[in-house]
Amino acid sequence: MGTQIGMITQMVDVVRKGGNPMQLITSFASQNPQAQQMLGNLQGKSDAELKQYAENMARSYGTDLDTVFKQLGMQMPK
């Protein structure tokens, strides 16, 4: 679990600096079968489909995207 949190923290840092976290995500997915499956499900999706997926995931954890972004100290893209 600690490794997963570390990877998420690294991804957030990359995004905050305006970078693309895809390399980290791909690296993480190669080490975690569940992440690999999720990444496969997300490939080829439109922006609207990705947003819906993120909203559904947040909802499954009892929260929403606005709250997640605020907790990460970020603003949700329009």
Side-chain angles (χ1 to χ4, degrees):
M1 180 73 162
T3 303
Q4 293 173 349
I5 292 171
M7 290 297 292
I8 291 169
T9 301
Q10 288 178 7
M11 284 186 262
V12 170
D13 287 342
V14 168
V15 171
R16 282 184 178 158
K17 293 175 183 173
N20 184 343
M22 202 59 206
Q23 185 176 10
L24 284 173
I25 293 169
T26 303
S27 172
F28 179 61
S30 71
Q31 300 169 27
N32 182 311
Q34 289 176 315
Q36 191 172 26
Q37 181 181 8
M38 183 183 74
L39 184 59
N41 290 337
L42 297 177
Q43 289 179 335
K45 302 288 187 208
S46 69
D47 288 347
E49 290 170 321
L50 292 172
K51 183 177 179 185
Q52 185 64 52
Y53 186 91
E55 287 172 346
N56 291 342
M57 182 179 281
R59 193 175 312 115
S60 76
Y61 284 94
T63 190
D64 59 61
L65 286 183
D66 288 327
T67 302
V68 172
F69 272 85
K70 286 177 186 173
Q71 289 175 340
L72 295 172
M74 301 171 67
Q75 290 184 345
M76 193 160 80
K78 299 292 177 184

